[in-house]
Amino acid sequence: MKNLRNFCIIAHIDHGKSTLADRLLEATKTVTGKDMQEQVLDDMDLERERGITIKSHAIQMKYRKDGQDYILNLIDTPGHVDFSYEVSRAIAACEGALLVVDATQGIQAQSISVLYQALDHDLTIIPVLNKMDLPAAMPDEVTEQIIDLVGCKHEDILQASGKTGLGIEEILERIVDRIPAPVGDPNAPLQALIFDSLFNSYRGVLAYFKIINGQIHTGDRVKFFNTGKEYDADEIGVLSLGLIPKDTLSTGDVGYIISGIKASKEVKVGDTITQVDRPCKEAISGFENVKPMVYAGLYPIDTDDYEDLRDALEKLVLNDASLTYEPESSAALGFGFRCGFLGLLHMEIVQERLDREFDMNVISTVPNVFYHVYGKKGDKTDVYNPSGLPDPTEVDHIEEPYIQAQIITMPEFIGAIMKLCLDKRGELRSQVYLTQDRVELSFELPLAEIVFDFYDKLKSISRGYASFDYFQTGFRPGKLVKLDIMLNGESVDALSTLIHVDNAYRFGRRMCEKLRELIPRQQFDIAIQAAIGAKIIARETIKAYRKDVTAKCYGGDITRKRKLLEKQKKGKKRMKQIGNVEVPQSAFLAVLKLD
């Protein structure tokens, strides 16, 4: 056990974590020859295409130092704020962390928030200055920033380059010297923390775990503490590039268990594995359930695919524990699921994964956050979907979720960022200069305002130099109204939103204009209206295709033409009564891109 080291790599998005992990795997000869490729741990096509890490990946490396063999368990983590839950799970399974900072960009918001998480878990931090081979690197300035943040000495900060391999040997030595071996009692009853899981169509559910106390052997009868289910450990082993079976795993080891579990809901991330004949007294504590930030409805394009979508979501939740879902129905779209996501990028990735991994084509509704609605009789309901809002006459007030946003940027962008946040109903809480050319702005903002396009706008006005992190602070009363979109007097529930009264007119106007472009023309006029209650606040009309029924009239009295036009008018009216308007998927997506 004294030769075991469990560590993860934490950093802001795009600071070179995956590339650095590649070099560590190369240096320890864990990956050689044809297996070696860029971002070797990012095994999803999506991750490679976008150049981001979506899933944490665990892998075991062997390293020899001073005649001793060491086993290093590495977990590479995502950097985007939408996947911070993955990072929290990786931190729970480690004793140390490499804090990677880009020498050209310096400390950014996500690095700070993840670092605090790691310090809360008493992890040993090893600061690494990455991308030292670039001409734009600023080692002295960034070193000062790291010293201010972590409180370490100059010589504690390692200089490295994931591209050229500079400093990789020093990092491995520092991991062995500084990161403590796992603590625990190998002779105590088994206690193992499940930190990830995935579904294999041949072998059922695979659970990844870290042993806190005790030992596990192949063939043991094990019990999952929270669900109370019992299984046989058919196969246990460690995670290298593939799965390597072992007979025994002991305290401190990170590995996997296959026990023929078919139902995905029987495995919960954060659960404790113990033995049936010698169970532990209590489950491992400190593992929180994630709270989704953004909700949207996912509906199959073909209503017959509803059960397939349920199976697909069940399997996806195994691999992505931060996704939540429950059944719901919509008048416009039929049966589907109300899903909870950590942010818009998370929502986009889930849709993409449903399409690629499960061949599921889905329509998503307008994303929204959840609200507390207080009735006049003092009752309180949580509303996740605008169509679930009670009658306005029964509502006393509505409370919306607020977040604390930390934005780190350069001084020249302060004005533009402040304007963006104030336009989004934000309140400035503090403004702190971290160094001469880096300032931290702290804002309180309604979560609903940052759901759509806040992150994209922030990146464009700061030319990519602003970094953003947030956490939820609670609920506050707001002047919110339900905005309905109606086609020919029929409300389309999938397009309705809860919105602040000051933004309702502008948003309704833009929605009508956008839908007029996207909905195809019919043989009859289509009225698109935005309404708050019974009050129409905006309207656009899609004109009908015209057929010139008077073309065959030549000469004679005007009454001949009038008669034909009246006849056509009656036909159009009849058609309007029985015709229904299909809203294309592009219209639902366009709502997200309204600018």
Side-chain angles (χ1 to χ4, degrees), residues 74 88 94 106 142 210 265 280 389 417 457 525 530 545 588 594:
L74 154 72
S88 70
C94 293
V142 181
K210 182 202 176 185
K265 55 177 166 290
C280 59
L389 194 70
I417 289 171
K457 281 187 174 171
D525 283 1
Y545 282 123
F588 292 106
L594 277 181

Side-chain angles (χ1 to χ4, degrees), residues 303-574:
T303 47
D304 295 345
D305 293 340
Y306 176 73
E307 286 301 326
D308 295 344
L309 180 59
R310 185 199 292 275
D311 292 346
L313 282 169
E314 238 178 58
K315 287 169 187 168
L316 200 56
V317 165
L318 265 184
N319 198 231
D320 181 355
S322 53
L323 172 68
T324 62
Y325 69 95
E326 56 185 43
E328 73 162 6
S329 63
S330 147
L333 300 168
F335 290 103
F337 294 93
R338 189 101 201 132
C339 300
F341 308 95
L342 293 183
L344 273 194
L345 177 68
H346 185 211
M347 176 178 155
E348 207 178 309
I349 295 294
V350 166
Q351 278 183 264
E352 191 81 23
R353 285 184 71 183
L354 282 171
D355 183 26
R356 291 182 185 212
E357 295 172 29
F358 304 100
D359 213 16
M360 286 302 310
N361 256 338
V362 292
I363 291 178
S364 76
T365 62
V366 182
N368 61 285
V369 298
F370 78 98
Y371 301 89
H372 293 333
V373 178
Y374 291 86
K376 289 189 174 161
K377 294 175 184 167
D379 53 326
K380 172 188 156 191
T381 47
D382 287 354
V383 172
Y384 297 89
N385 186 347
S387 59
L389 194 70
D391 191 274
T393 54
E394 295 167 16
V395 175
D396 182 50
H397 68 281
I398 302 174
E399 288 187 351
E400 58 179 333
Y402 266 70
I403 56 147
Q404 176 106 10
Q406 289 165 309
I407 298 167
I408 297 178
T409 184
M410 292 178 167
E412 63 253 41
F413 304 122
I414 290 176
I417 289 171
M418 277 192 176
K419 183 178 181 311
L420 173 69
C421 292
L422 294 173
D423 286 349
K424 299 274 185 191
R425 299 191 283 132
E427 293 171 22
L428 181 65
R429 282 279 170 258
S430 67
Q431 179 177 336
V432 182
Y433 277 83
L434 303 172
T435 61
Q436 280 184 336
D437 61 347
R438 296 176 73 71
V439 62
E440 182 183 27
L441 301 170
S442 188
F443 277 93
E444 283 221 335
L445 288 149
L447 178 60
E449 295 286 347
I450 69 154
V451 161
F452 286 125
D453 52 2
F454 182 82
Y455 194 66
D456 296 341
K457 281 187 174 171
L458 181 69
K459 283 292 178 199
S460 59
I461 61 177
S462 64
R463 295 193 227 127
Y465 279 107
S467 60
F468 169 65
D469 189 49
Y470 63 86
F471 57 90
Q472 199 166 342
T473 55
F475 284 76
R476 285 202 215 162
K479 290 165 77 178
L480 299 163
V481 290
K482 183 183 170 198
L483 180 72
D484 286 313
I485 300 296
M486 304 201 296
L487 296 179
N488 281 344
E490 294 280 321
S491 178
V492 183
D493 58 351
L495 287 174
S496 60
T497 51
L498 263 176
I499 193 163
H500 194 267
V501 72
D502 295 347
N503 301 337
Y505 175 75
R506 195 171 69 246
F507 187 75
R509 167 100 263 137
R510 280 163 32 210
M511 281 276 282
C512 290
E513 285 167 3
K514 197 77 185 171
L515 288 171
R516 193 184 76 180
E517 293 167 23
L518 294 165
I519 293 175
R521 285 172 74 185
Q522 307 287 340
Q523 294 286 353
F524 51 90
D525 283 1
I526 304 169
I528 304 167
Q529 293 165 315
I532 297 171
K535 185 182 174 189
I536 305 293
I537 57 168
R539 171 182 171 129
E540 293 285 333
T541 308
I542 300 175
K543 283 301 192 191
Y545 282 123
R546 269 207 76 219
K547 183 180 180 194
D548 193 355
V549 288
T550 60
K552 62 177 182 280
C553 286
Y554 182 75
D557 190 5
I558 185 69
T559 51
R560 290 179 64 205
K561 287 188 178 179
R562 179 70 22 88
K563 189 177 163 190
L564 285 169
L565 288 168
E566 286 299 325
K567 190 177 171 190
Q568 185 189 34
K569 201 168 166 186
K570 277 184 195 157
K572 297 265 185 200
K573 191 176 173 186
R574 201 164 58 246

Side-chain angles (χ1 to χ4, degrees), residues 26 65 75 95 134 310 350 423 488:
E26 220 170 30
K65 180 177 185 279
I75 303 182
E95 282 81 38
L134 295 179
R310 185 199 292 275
V350 166
D423 286 349
N488 281 344

Side-chain angles (χ1 to χ4, degrees), residues 109-344:
Q110 192 64 18
S111 315
I112 295 174
S113 75
V114 175
L115 174 69
Y116 288 153
Q117 263 185 317
L119 292 172
D120 284 347
H121 281 76
D122 293 332
L123 264 59
T124 303
I125 306 294
I126 298 174
V128 177
L129 206 53
N130 195 20
K131 305 195 184 182
M132 285 300 295
D133 58 311
L134 295 179
M138 313 173 287
D140 300 339
E141 292 153 53
V142 181
T143 299
E144 290 302 324
Q145 289 174 21
I146 295 174
I147 291 170
D148 284 347
L149 183 67
V150 184
C152 58
K153 300 188 183 72
H154 259 278
E155 56 272 19
D156 293 341
I157 299 170
L158 298 172
Q159 298 195 347
S161 164
K163 191 170 273 184
T164 62
L166 165 79
I168 296 298
E169 201 57 45
E170 289 86 345
I171 291 174
L172 288 165
E173 284 177 17
R174 189 70 61 88
I175 288 166
V176 169
D177 296 341
R178 288 282 173 87
I179 293 177
V183 289
D185 181 1
N187 301 315
L190 174 68
Q191 249 188 334
L193 172 77
I194 300 178
F195 66 89
D196 204 356
S197 55
L198 61 94
F199 188 83
N200 182 309
S201 44
Y202 300 106
R203 312 196 66 179
V205 178
L206 277 76
Y208 296 161
F209 60 83
K210 182 202 176 185
I211 301 180
I212 310 294
N213 289 310
Q215 295 184 338
I216 185 170
H217 311 275
T218 305
D220 277 358
R221 185 82 179 153
V222 296
K223 178 170 111 176
F224 286 18
F225 208 92
N226 291 337
T227 57
K229 299 273 189 204
E230 296 181 7
Y231 307 100
D232 290 316
D234 298 336
E235 182 179 311
I236 57 169
V238 295
L239 306 155
S240 185
L241 253 193
L243 304 174
I244 300 174
K246 299 269 184 196
D247 290 332
T248 305
L249 292 176
S250 185
T251 303
D253 279 328
V254 173
Y256 69 90
I257 178 168
I258 298 175
S259 47
I261 303 169
K262 295 288 184 285
S264 48
K265 55 177 166 290
E266 290 176 23
V267 179
K268 283 194 167 52
V269 168
D271 202 349
T272 303
I273 303 176
T274 189
Q275 278 154 336
V276 171
D277 52 0
R278 197 174 158 223
C280 59
K281 298 266 190 305
E282 55 187 31
I284 299 160
S285 62
F287 214 91
E288 297 168 17
N289 264 344
V290 66
K291 294 182 184 70
M293 293 282 193
V294 177
Y295 291 85
L298 291 185
Y299 293 85
I301 284 179
D302 184 353
T303 47
D304 295 345
D305 293 340
Y306 176 73
E307 286 301 326
D308 295 344
L309 180 59
R310 185 199 292 275
D311 292 346
L313 282 169
E314 238 178 58
K315 287 169 187 168
L316 200 56
V317 165
L318 265 184
N319 198 231
D320 181 355
S322 53
L323 172 68
T324 62
Y325 69 95
E326 56 185 43
E328 73 162 6
S329 63
S330 147
L333 300 168
F335 290 103
F337 294 93
R338 189 101 201 132
C339 300
F341 308 95
L342 293 183
L344 273 194

